[in-house]
Amino acid sequence: MTLVCREIYRSFKSGNETIEILKGVNLELDKAEVIAILGPSGSGKTTLLNLLAGLDEVTKGEVYWGDTAVHKTSNNDLARLRLSELGLVFQNHYLLEDLTVFENVNLTGRLQGKINKQRTMEVLQAVGLENRKNYLPKKLSGGERQRVAVARAIYAKPKIILADEPTGSLDRQSAKAVYELLVELARQEGSSVIMVTHDEALVKDLDKRYRLIDGKLIMD
Ligand SMILES: Nc1ncnc2c1ncn2[C@@H]1O[C@H](COP(=O)(O)OP(=O)(O)OP(=O)(O)O)[C@@H](O)[C@H]1O
Ligand SMILES: [Mg+2]
């Protein structure tokens, strides 16, 4: 499945003012492609990922997941498709604090009513957290929490992973480790990845890097 967006716009109203954050963004993500989106704080990176994930609605423009026109699909259908096709890593982790690491990792399965314990252990091992499986998130370090978020995103072997600053708030070494883990797991599964970051050094080796500047996406 490919992900495409065409000429998307998103503005927000603040009092009488309308602020245009995205002003005609185009992107085509190929199968198994790993790309980075760079850009300063406030440039609209999270806004863009939310639109690509179908979690927010464009003011204008089109988003496609394969043949599915996201902008024309009901929220229920999007939720169902999202569970099977997309893996999301949110900027602030969004681990469920009342669930254990094990339960957080297979959340997608839980929501679909089919938990795969073997797969859960497999991804926990892949991120090196099998011995933390019964922990609640509050007992984890920042890097461990981000690895849980990565494990959760990869669990259902999604075709597309959208990761918003998956290494934010980590020191250089841990950031590199989490990033490399995400890319390696995605490559193993043939998933494509959009990685949002403001860490230039981290993604310097990727083939395609884009920059969000003045509401437009420009290839680096
Ligand atoms: N729901 C909203 N209502 C009003 N303004 C919003 C809303 N969501 C985002 N914005 C504004 O849009 C701009 C872009 O926000 P966004 O979170 O996309 O930036 P970002 O590039 O992800 O920044 P960061 O690197 O700090 O995470 C910000 O100025 C923000 O205040
Ligand atoms: Mg952001």
Side-chain angles (χ1 to χ4, degrees):
M1 189 171 79
T2 53
L3 179 99
V4 176
C5 74
R6 290 208 190 101
E7 285 297 304
I8 58 173
Y9 286 73
R10 182 66 169 104
S11 51
F12 295 110
K13 287 212 166 60
S14 151
N16 291 332
E17 235 188 324
T18 300
I19 311 165
E20 283 224 305
I21 302 297
L22 303 180
K23 307 174 193 173
V25 170
N26 292 292
L27 179 67
E28 199 162 329
L29 180 71
D30 285 333
K31 274 185 197 143
E33 191 176 39
V34 180
I35 68 161
I37 295 180
L38 293 154
S41 179
S43 58
K45 305 182 297 297
T46 296
T47 302
L48 176 59
L49 272 203
N50 285 339
L51 294 172
L52 296 178
L55 294 167
D56 181 25
E57 281 177 36
V58 295
T59 311
K60 201 168 87 184
E62 302 173 341
V63 179
Y64 292 92
W65 299 342
D67 296 333
T68 305
V70 172
H71 51 289
K72 287 185 190 160
T73 305
S74 73
N75 283 337
N76 272 349
D77 286 347
L78 287 181
R80 190 176 40 77
L81 275 171
R82 197 181 295 116
L83 283 179
S84 59
E85 312 283 0
L86 262 58
L88 305 177
V89 183
F90 293 100
Q91 185 160 15
N92 300 311
H93 315 311
Y94 286 116
L95 298 184
L96 297 182
E97 300 293 332
D98 295 335
L99 298 186
T100 63
V101 166
F102 187 87
E103 291 165 334
N104 264 284
V105 167
N106 59 35
L107 190 65
T108 335
R110 208 161 278 274
L111 294 170
Q112 291 171 322
K114 47 171 188 196
I115 294 166
N116 184 336
K117 290 187 178 164
Q118 196 188 333
R119 175 67 180 159
T120 312
M121 287 314 293
E122 196 175 289
V123 288
L124 274 170
Q125 263 159 20
V127 300
L129 288 177
E130 65 271 40
N131 60 356
R132 296 282 189 279
K133 70 180 161 79
N134 295 321
Y135 274 49
L136 287 174
K138 66 169 188 269
K139 290 195 176 170
L140 299 176
S141 74
E144 287 168 344
R145 290 174 67 93
Q146 285 192 291
R147 280 187 277 150
V148 174
V150 167
R152 183 171 65 188
I154 207 90
Y155 165 83
K157 305 188 178 182
K159 302 206 175 66
I160 296 165
I161 296 174
L162 303 176
D164 196 357
E165 301 275 8
T167 65
S169 76
L170 296 184
D171 59 72
R172 171 120 307 272
Q173 211 178 342
S174 315
K176 200 160 181 293
V178 170
Y179 164 72
E180 283 172 356
L181 183 66
L182 173 61
V183 173
E184 187 193 317
L185 292 175
R187 294 230 150 104
Q188 276 170 19
E189 306 289 357
S191 308
S192 42
V193 180
I194 299 182
M195 155 103 185
V196 161
T197 183
H198 54 247
D199 190 339
E200 306 259 342
L202 196 64
V203 293
K204 66 179 187 322
D205 295 333
L206 286 183
D207 303 340
K208 274 195 198 166
R209 291 176 306 159
Y210 296 84
R211 235 166 255 280
L212 197 52
I213 299 170
D214 294 333
K216 299 217 183 227
L217 203 56
I218 296 158
M219 201 182 286
D220 223 22

